[in-house]
PDB file of all heavy atoms in Angstrom:
ATOM      1  N   ALA F  96     122.507 156.300  61.319  1.00 96.00           N
ATOM      2  CA  ALA F  96     123.049 155.244  60.411  1.00 96.00           C
ATOM      3  C   ALA F  96     123.335 155.773  59.030  1.00 96.00           C
ATOM      4  O   ALA F  96     122.332 156.446  58.559  1.00 96.00           O
ATOM      5  CB  ALA F  96     122.160 153.949  60.443  1.00 96.00           C
ATOM      6  N   VAL F  97     124.363 155.411  58.419  1.00 97.00           N
ATOM      7  CA  VAL F  97     124.640 155.868  57.026  1.00 97.00           C
ATOM      8  C   VAL F  97     125.327 154.815  56.209  1.00 97.00           C
ATOM      9  O   VAL F  97     125.912 153.964  56.771  1.00 97.00           O
ATOM     10  CB  VAL F  97     125.564 157.099  57.010  1.00 97.00           C
ATOM     11  CG1 VAL F  97     124.836 158.354  57.675  1.00 97.00           C
ATOM     12  CG2 VAL F  97     126.860 156.973  57.609  1.00 97.00           C
ATOM     13  N   GLY F  98     125.143 154.854  54.935  1.00 97.00           N
ATOM     14  CA  GLY F  98     125.865 154.135  53.993  1.00 97.00           C
ATOM     15  C   GLY F  98     127.136 154.954  53.718  1.00 97.00           C
ATOM     16  O   GLY F  98     127.172 156.119  53.555  1.00 97.00           O
ATOM     17  N   ILE F 172     118.565 161.242  51.162  1.00 98.00           N
ATOM     18  CA  ILE F 172     117.405 160.835  50.135  1.00 98.00           C
ATOM     19  C   ILE F 172     116.149 160.692  50.822  1.00 98.00           C
ATOM     20  O   ILE F 172     116.062 160.573  52.023  1.00 98.00           O
ATOM     21  CB  ILE F 172     117.899 159.570  49.385  1.00 98.00           C
ATOM     22  CG1 ILE F 172     118.079 158.352  50.425  1.00 98.00           C
ATOM     23  CG2 ILE F 172     119.172 159.844  48.694  1.00 98.00           C
ATOM     24  CD1 ILE F 172     118.311 157.055  49.814  1.00 98.00           C
ATOM     25  N   PHE F 177     116.270 152.057  49.558  1.00 97.00           N
ATOM     26  CA  PHE F 177     117.675 152.379  49.340  1.00 97.00           C
ATOM     27  C   PHE F 177     117.784 152.887  47.814  1.00 97.00           C
ATOM     28  O   PHE F 177     116.865 152.700  46.970  1.00 97.00           O
ATOM     29  CB  PHE F 177     118.615 151.262  49.658  1.00 97.00           C
ATOM     30  CG  PHE F 177     118.684 150.894  51.066  1.00 97.00           C
ATOM     31  CD1 PHE F 177     118.097 149.643  51.501  1.00 97.00           C
ATOM     32  CD2 PHE F 177     119.200 151.813  51.977  1.00 97.00           C
ATOM     33  CE1 PHE F 177     118.125 149.321  52.945  1.00 97.00           C
ATOM     34  CE2 PHE F 177     119.274 151.426  53.311  1.00 97.00           C
ATOM     35  CZ  PHE F 177     118.685 150.099  53.763  1.00 97.00           C
ATOM     36  N   ILE F 194     125.557 158.470  52.943  1.00 98.00           N
ATOM     37  CA  ILE F 194     124.181 158.530  52.559  1.00 98.00           C
ATOM     38  C   ILE F 194     123.216 158.197  53.626  1.00 98.00           C
ATOM     39  O   ILE F 194     123.506 157.097  54.257  1.00 98.00           O
ATOM     40  CB  ILE F 194     123.945 157.811  51.250  1.00 98.00           C
ATOM     41  CG1 ILE F 194     122.606 157.948  50.661  1.00 98.00           C
ATOM     42  CG2 ILE F 194     124.338 156.298  51.317  1.00 98.00           C
ATOM     43  CD1 ILE F 194     122.437 157.422  49.229  1.00 98.00           C
ATOM     44  N   GLY F 195     122.215 158.978  53.860  1.00 98.00           N
ATOM     45  CA  GLY F 195     121.148 158.598  54.815  1.00 98.00           C
ATOM     46  C   GLY F 195     119.749 159.159  54.394  1.00 98.00           C
ATOM     47  O   GLY F 195     119.699 159.635  53.259  1.00 98.00           O
ATOM     48  N   MET F 196     118.841 159.066  55.228  1.00 98.00           N
ATOM     49  CA  MET F 196     117.439 159.382  54.855  1.00 98.00           C
ATOM     50  C   MET F 196     116.760 160.322  55.816  1.00 98.00           C
ATOM     51  O   MET F 196     115.622 160.666  55.734  1.00 98.00           O
ATOM     52  CB  MET F 196     116.586 158.105  54.783  1.00 98.00           C
ATOM     53  CG  MET F 196     117.090 157.023  53.908  1.00 98.00           C
ATOM     54  SD  MET F 196     115.920 155.702  53.883  1.00 98.00           S
ATOM     55  CE  MET F 196     116.893 154.355  53.004  1.00 98.00           C
ATOM     56  N   THR F 219     127.247 151.822  58.253  1.00 96.00           N
ATOM     57  CA  THR F 219     126.730 150.476  58.442  1.00 96.00           C
ATOM     58  C   THR F 219     126.991 149.617  57.159  1.00 96.00           C
ATOM     59  O   THR F 219     126.946 148.365  57.211  1.00 96.00           O
ATOM     60  CB  THR F 219     125.261 150.380  58.704  1.00 96.00           C
ATOM     61  OG1 THR F 219     124.581 151.213  57.714  1.00 96.00           O
ATOM     62  CG2 THR F 219     124.869 150.934  60.050  1.00 96.00           C
ATOM     63  N   ASP F 220     127.246 150.257  56.002  1.00 96.00           N
ATOM     64  CA  ASP F 220     127.289 149.457  54.775  1.00 96.00           C
ATOM     65  C   ASP F 220     127.881 150.388  53.607  1.00 96.00           C
ATOM     66  O   ASP F 220     128.157 151.453  53.825  1.00 96.00           O
ATOM     67  CB  ASP F 220     125.783 149.128  54.340  1.00 96.00           C
ATOM     68  CG  ASP F 220     125.070 150.365  54.173  1.00 96.00           C
ATOM     69  OD1 ASP F 220     124.987 151.010  53.129  1.00 96.00           O
ATOM     70  OD2 ASP F 220     124.342 150.745  55.133  1.00 96.00           O
ATOM     71  N   ASP F 222     126.298 150.999  50.692  1.00 97.00           N
ATOM     72  CA  ASP F 222     125.225 151.286  49.790  1.00 97.00           C
ATOM     73  C   ASP F 222     125.312 150.245  48.701  1.00 97.00           C
ATOM     74  O   ASP F 222     125.407 148.919  48.939  1.00 97.00           O
ATOM     75  CB  ASP F 222     125.382 152.693  49.394  1.00 97.00           C
ATOM     76  CG  ASP F 222     124.017 153.226  48.852  1.00 97.00           C
ATOM     77  OD1 ASP F 222     122.934 152.941  49.492  1.00 97.00           O
ATOM     78  OD2 ASP F 222     123.887 153.858  47.742  1.00 97.00           O
ATOM     79  N   VAL F 231     123.567 146.943  50.178  1.00 91.00           N
ATOM     80  CA  VAL F 231     122.906 147.197  51.400  1.00 91.00           C
ATOM     81  C   VAL F 231     121.531 146.563  51.424  1.00 91.00           C
ATOM     82  O   VAL F 231     120.803 146.535  50.477  1.00 91.00           O
ATOM     83  CB  VAL F 231     122.826 148.790  51.629  1.00 91.00           C
ATOM     84  CG1 VAL F 231     121.977 149.477  50.526  1.00 91.00           C
ATOM     85  CG2 VAL F 231     122.249 149.082  53.037  1.00 91.00           C
TER      86      VAL F 231
HETATM   87  N1  LIG O 302     122.936 152.757  52.145  1.00 89.47           N
HETATM   88  C1  LIG O 302     122.084 153.604  52.910  1.00 89.47           C
HETATM   89  N2  LIG O 302     121.239 154.473  52.272  1.00 89.47           N
HETATM   90  C2  LIG O 302     120.450 155.264  52.984  1.00 89.47           C
HETATM   91  N3  LIG O 302     120.338 155.267  54.300  1.00 89.47           N
HETATM   92  C3  LIG O 302     121.130 154.415  54.957  1.00 89.47           C
HETATM   93  N4  LIG O 302     121.269 154.297  56.245  1.00 89.47           N
HETATM   94  C4  LIG O 302     122.116 153.221  56.452  1.00 89.47           C
HETATM   95  N5  LIG O 302     122.656 152.811  55.299  1.00 89.47           N
HETATM   96  C5  LIG O 302     122.083 153.547  54.303  1.00 89.47           C
END
Side-chain angles (χ1 to χ4, degrees):
V97 294
I172 61 169
F177 292 112
I194 182 165
M196 304 180 191
T219 54
D220 58 85
D222 202 42
V231 63

